[in-house]
Amino acid sequence: MYRQGDILIVPVREEAVPASVTTSPSAPRDARGRLVLALGEATGHAHAVVGSGTLVRGPRPMDPDFLHVPSGGRVVHEEHAAISLPKGWYRVQRQREYIPGAFRVVAD
């Protein structure tokens, strides 16, 4: 497992990736060509993957995203050390917090 701030990245065996993920369109890259895993609402900084790969967003905010880096990749952020990812599939989950009566994604 890998953690960078409020992002958790967990390796997933290819056969365990839901079929809907492999047929869904990839999230678009930002203006700098990165796959943005999470954008900091307060700072504008981003947890992002540079290099080749695809990111499929979960249908709801609390659902995990799935990242595929066929040649490996690097997760970068302006305030954290970069993380090198071996090639493969990953489940990407944002940290959540409890507020009375509900859960929400942690604001960065």
Side-chain angles (χ1 to χ4, degrees):
M1 288 191 291
Y2 305 88
R3 179 172 290 282
Q4 188 184 67
D6 58 350
I7 299 294
L8 177 65
I9 304 167
V10 181
V12 177
R13 293 186 333 269
E14 186 169 359
E15 56 272 9
V17 175
S20 61
V21 169
T22 60
T23 59
S24 295
S26 177
R29 291 179 177 269
D30 71 357
R32 295 169 54 188
R34 308 172 303 171
L35 289 171
V36 176
L37 303 178
L39 184 63
E41 297 85 356
T43 64
H45 296 160
H47 298 277
V49 175
V50 294
S52 65
T54 56
L55 176 67
V56 177
R57 297 269 182 217
R60 295 177 302 260
M62 294 298 208
D63 290 346
D65 299 331
F66 284 87
L67 172 66
H68 183 229
V69 284
S71 304
R74 285 176 37 106
V75 182
V76 297
H77 186 278
E78 292 84 346
E79 297 174 334
H80 300 285
I83 297 172
S84 294
L85 298 175
K87 67 180 179 177
W89 281 94
Y90 296 87
R91 180 174 48 86
V92 180
Q93 186 74 54
R94 297 244 350 232
Q95 184 175 344
R96 297 174 277 186
E97 62 186 353
Y98 177 76
I99 57 171
F103 290 93
R104 67 178 177 197
V105 172
V106 171
D108 187 17

